[in-house]
Amino acid sequence: VKSEGPKLVPFFKATCVYFVLWLPTSSPSWFSALIKCLPIFCLWVFLLAHGINFLVSHRSASRILAGLIFSAVGDAFLIWQEQGYFIHGLLMFGITHILYSSAFGMKPLDLKAGLLMGVVSSSCYAFLYSYLSGPLTYLVAVYIALIGFMGWRAVAGVQLCNDLWTWTKLSACVGAMLFMVSDLTIALNEFCFPVPYSRFIIMATYYAAQMLIALSAVETRDEEDFRKRS
C-alpha cells in the first residue's frame, strides 16, 4: 500500500480541485466536464505508470483501465444530463460494470453472496419502480442488475472465514459497495426525492470507489507472490 500511495497524489489533488471549485451543475460546460473527469484521468495515469507490459500481461488490470475510460465518458455525459444525455451516461457506466465484473472474475463463486446481492438489488429496484416511466423502467432494471452482479463478484473475492483474502480483494469489495451507494444516491435524488448533500455523497463515494478498484488492479503482483509462497 505504501508503495502505491505516492502514485495517487495527482488523484487526490484533482479530487480536491473538484470539491474546491464545486462547479454548478446548472451551467454545464467542457471546463466543468474536465474538472469532474480529472480524478479519473489521474487514475488512468496511475495504472499506466505500472507499465504497458503489466497491463497487457494482467487482463484484470487492463479491464479495470478500460472501465475507468468508460467511466470518464459517462461522467462527461452526465454533465449534460438535463440536455438528454442521462441514458448515454447510464450506458457508459453499464459497460464499466461489465468490465469490472470481468476483472474480478467468477472464482470463487460464493452463491450466498450472490443471493444477498440479488436481494439487495431487487429491493432497490422494487422501491424505485413506481417512480420510473418509459424506457427508464427497463434501463434502470438492467443497470441495477449489472452493478449488483459487479458487487457480487467483488464481495465473493473476500473469503474472510477461510483466511483466503488479500487487502486487494478487500479494496475491490469496499470500492464496489461505495459505487453502489453512489449510484443509489443518484437514483433516489434523480427519480424519488431530494437527498440532502446528495452531490457531496455521490462524488465522494464515487471517487473513493474508483480509487479502491484501481488499487485492486495494480496489486495483482502481490497476489501472485502470495500464491507462489503458498
Side-chain angles (χ1 to χ4, degrees):
V1 180
K2 292 180 180 178
S3 65
E4 301 299 337
K7 299 173 188 175
L8 284 169
V9 169
F11 165 78
F12 289 123
K13 289 182 176 180
T15 303
C16 289
V17 167
Y18 173 82
F19 284 110
V20 168
L21 292 181
W22 205 250
L23 299 173
T25 55
S26 57
S27 55
S29 66
W30 285 108
F31 179 70
S32 59
L34 173 63
I35 295 302
K36 183 182 181 184
C37 296
L38 191 58
I40 306 304
F41 294 159
C42 291
L43 291 178
W44 296 3
V45 176
F46 170 70
L47 288 178
L48 290 170
H50 291 78
I52 298 299
N53 290 335
F54 171 74
L55 293 172
V56 170
S57 60
H58 297 84
R59 292 183 179 180
S60 61
S62 60
R63 288 168 184 170
I64 286 178
L65 175 60
L68 288 168
I69 293 172
F70 278 99
S71 293
V73 177
D75 282 331
F77 276 130
L78 291 180
I79 287 287
W80 283 276
Q81 63 179 344
E82 299 300 329
Q83 284 72 36
Y85 288 96
F86 180 81
I87 291 178
H88 299 73
L90 201 67
L91 175 62
M92 293 299 102
F93 280 108
I95 295 172
T96 294
H97 297 317
I98 292 173
L99 288 165
Y100 286 171
S101 299
S102 177
F104 298 150
M106 291 300 297
K107 294 181 180 180
L109 192 60
D110 197 345
L111 293 177
K112 290 182 179 179
L115 179 61
L116 176 62
M117 294 307 301
V119 171
V120 172
S121 299
S122 300
S123 299
C124 290
Y125 182 69
F127 180 81
L128 293 170
Y129 180 78
S130 61
Y131 295 93
L132 302 172
S133 61
L136 282 173
T137 304
Y138 310 102
L139 292 174
V140 170
V142 172
Y143 184 83
I144 289 177
L146 290 176
I147 194 172
F149 186 83
M150 185 272 290
W152 170 32
R153 298 322 310 147
V155 171
V158 183
Q159 299 290 299
L160 294 175
C161 296
N162 300 324
D163 199 26
L164 297 175
W165 65 282
T166 62
W167 80 265
T168 53
K169 296 291 187 183
L170 188 60
S171 176
C173 177
V174 175
M177 294 302 99
L178 288 175
F179 215 133
M180 295 180 73
V181 170
S182 179
D183 281 359
L184 179 59
T185 306
I186 290 176
L188 293 175
N189 193 65
E190 183 74 18
F191 304 123
C192 305
F193 47 79
V195 177
Y197 307 107
S198 61
R199 189 176 171 199
F200 176 80
I201 295 170
I202 290 165
M203 298 311 299
T205 52
Y206 171 68
Y207 287 142
Q210 295 283 38
M211 179 196 70
L212 290 169
I213 290 172
L215 273 173
S216 75
V218 300
E219 288 300 309
T220 306
R221 292 167 297 181
D222 287 354
E223 294 175 26
E224 290 180 345
D225 293 340
F226 175 79
R227 292 193 191 100
K228 290 177 182 177
R229 289 195 299 269
S230 301

